[in-house]
Amino acid sequence: MSNSNTSSLWAIWLSLISNILLTIGKIVIGLIFHSEVLLADGVHNAGDIIATVAALSAMRISKLPADEDHPYGHGKAEVLGSGFVAFILVLAALYIGYHAATAFFHEPDAPSLIAFIAAAISMAWKYGLYVYTIRIGKMTNSKSLIATAQDHLADVYASFAAVVGIGLAFVGSHYDIRWLAYGDAAGGVVVSLLVLRLGIEMARESFDILMEKIVDHDKLEQITELIQACPDVRRIDRVRAREHGHYILVDARISVSGELTIQEGHDISRVIKKSIMEAHPDVDEVLIHLNPWYAD
C-alpha cells in the first residue's frame, strides 16, 4: 500500500473514532443537562459516523484497479461517497433546524457549564481534524476524504454556535435577560443553516463530477499548452478533460502530418501523454486521437 493510501486510511479511521466518541459524549451531556444545541450537534455527529463509514468504503473501492467491466477504474466511487456525505449533512441540518426551532416554544433550561466545556473541546478537536484531513485529502486528491474534512468543518461551525449559544444563555441567566436564555436554541438554528449550505455545495460538486463536467478552464489551458509544445502537432482539433473521482481523464484530438508512419504517430502520442502526466500527477489516463494534416 502506498504512503498516500496509508495516510488517507489513517485520516478516515481517526475521523471515525473521533466521531463515535464525540457523538456519545455530546448526546449524553446534552440529554443530562438539557442542552438543545449540544444534543443537536451530537445527532449531527451520529450522522457523521454513517458518512465516514461511507467515505471509508468508497475510498477502498476507488483504489481498485481497472477491470474488464470498469476500464476507466473505480474513481467515481469516491464521488458517490462524497454525495452520500452531502446527503447526510442535509438531513442533519434539517433535523437540527427543526429541533432547535421547537425549543423556542418551551421554557429554556438553565445553561450548563459542562455542556459549554464539551462544546469548546469539540470545536478545538474538530478544527484539528479538519486541518489534518483536508491536507491529506488535497495531497491525495481524494474526493471522499475532502468531503469528510468539510464535514469536520461543519462540526466546527456547529460547536462554535453551541459555545456562543450556551455562553449567551449564561449571560441571560446571570443578568436576568430573558431573551438571551434562548441563545442555546438560536445557536442550533444557526448551525442548521451553516450545515445545510455546506451540504448543498458538496452535493452540487458531486453532481457535476458524475455528470462529467469538464475540469476548470485554467487546468484545461495548461494541458492544451503542453500539447501545443510538441513540435510535430500541426493543429489541436479538440481537448477535453474530466474528473473521475480522485484522478482526471484527458481526451485529445490532434492533427499531425499525414505523411508520418503509424510508428511515428504512436511516438508523438506517447511523448504528449508523458508530458501531461508528468506535469499533472492527478491525470491518470490520456487518450489521443490522431488526424492527418496536409499543407494546402
Side-chain angles (χ1 to χ4, degrees):
M1 183 179 294
S2 66
N3 290 334
S4 61
N5 288 348
T6 302
S7 299
S8 297
L9 288 175
W10 268 109
I12 285 291
W13 278 110
L14 181 60
S15 298
L16 179 60
I17 294 171
S18 297
N19 283 331
I20 291 174
L21 295 176
L22 288 172
T23 296
I24 295 173
K26 289 178 182 179
I27 291 179
V28 169
I29 294 175
L31 288 172
I32 292 175
F33 297 98
H34 307 286
S35 173
E36 298 292 342
V37 69
L38 193 63
L39 183 60
D41 196 12
V43 173
H44 176 207
N45 274 136
D48 293 344
I49 295 175
I50 301 174
T52 305
V53 170
L56 179 62
S57 301
M59 185 178 297
R60 288 182 178 276
I61 295 173
S62 71
K63 302 302 181 184
L64 295 175
D67 54 35
E68 185 175 346
D69 294 326
H70 307 89
Y72 295 102
H74 300 77
K76 283 189 177 179
E78 285 211 63
V79 185
L80 293 174
S82 176
F84 186 75
V85 173
F87 177 70
I88 292 296
L89 282 176
V90 171
L91 287 182
L94 295 176
Y95 175 84
I96 294 170
Y98 171 78
H99 202 272
T102 57
F104 286 102
F105 299 96
H106 306 286
E107 188 68 21
D109 293 293
S112 166
L113 179 60
I114 293 179
F116 180 84
I117 294 174
I121 292 175
S122 173
M123 181 176 66
W125 181 253
K126 276 292 188 173
Y127 182 74
L129 278 176
Y130 164 72
V131 172
Y132 173 69
T133 309
I134 196 68
R135 180 173 62 83
I136 301 298
K138 289 182 176 180
M139 181 180 69
T140 59
N141 197 29
S142 169
K143 300 301 179 185
S144 59
L145 196 56
I146 292 174
T148 300
Q150 295 294 339
D151 196 16
H152 290 322
L153 184 59
D155 292 337
V156 174
Y157 296 151
S159 296
F160 176 74
V163 169
V164 174
I166 298 173
L168 289 175
F170 268 115
V171 174
S173 177
H174 185 269
Y175 292 101
D176 196 25
I177 305 175
R178 181 171 176 76
W179 64 272
L180 282 181
Y182 289 96
D184 190 299
V189 173
V190 173
V191 168
S192 68
L193 295 175
L194 291 172
V195 174
L196 181 62
R197 178 183 177 185
L198 183 60
I200 292 174
E201 289 177 351
M202 288 172 57
R204 184 184 297 115
E205 181 182 357
S206 298
F207 181 79
D208 284 343
I209 295 176
L210 288 174
M211 295 301 293
E212 299 196 340
K213 180 181 178 181
I214 63 171
V215 298
D216 64 85
H217 178 75
D218 290 340
K219 194 171 191 68
L220 194 62
E221 186 65 28
Q222 292 170 10
I223 293 173
T224 302
E225 290 175 357
L226 287 171
I227 297 175
Q228 288 176 330
C230 179
D232 292 302
V233 173
R234 302 301 183 186
R235 184 179 65 230
I236 296 178
D237 301 310
R238 187 179 68 190
V239 178
R240 297 186 299 185
R242 65 189 189 276
E243 289 191 59
H244 199 80
H246 59 281
Y247 52 85
I248 292 174
L249 302 177
V250 176
D251 176 15
R253 291 176 179 269
I254 61 176
S255 293
V256 298
S257 174
E259 298 177 355
L260 297 176
T261 66
I262 294 177
Q263 180 63 53
E264 289 171 329
H266 171 75
D267 291 341
I268 292 171
S269 297
R270 187 171 57 183
V271 169
I272 293 174
K273 178 178 179 178
K274 183 179 179 181
S275 66
I276 292 174
M277 296 182 70
E278 286 181 349
H280 299 276
D282 52 347
V283 173
D284 187 72
E285 183 65 61
V286 179
L287 302 176
I288 298 178
H289 177 84
L290 298 179
N291 293 322
W293 177 89
Y294 297 96
D296 294 335

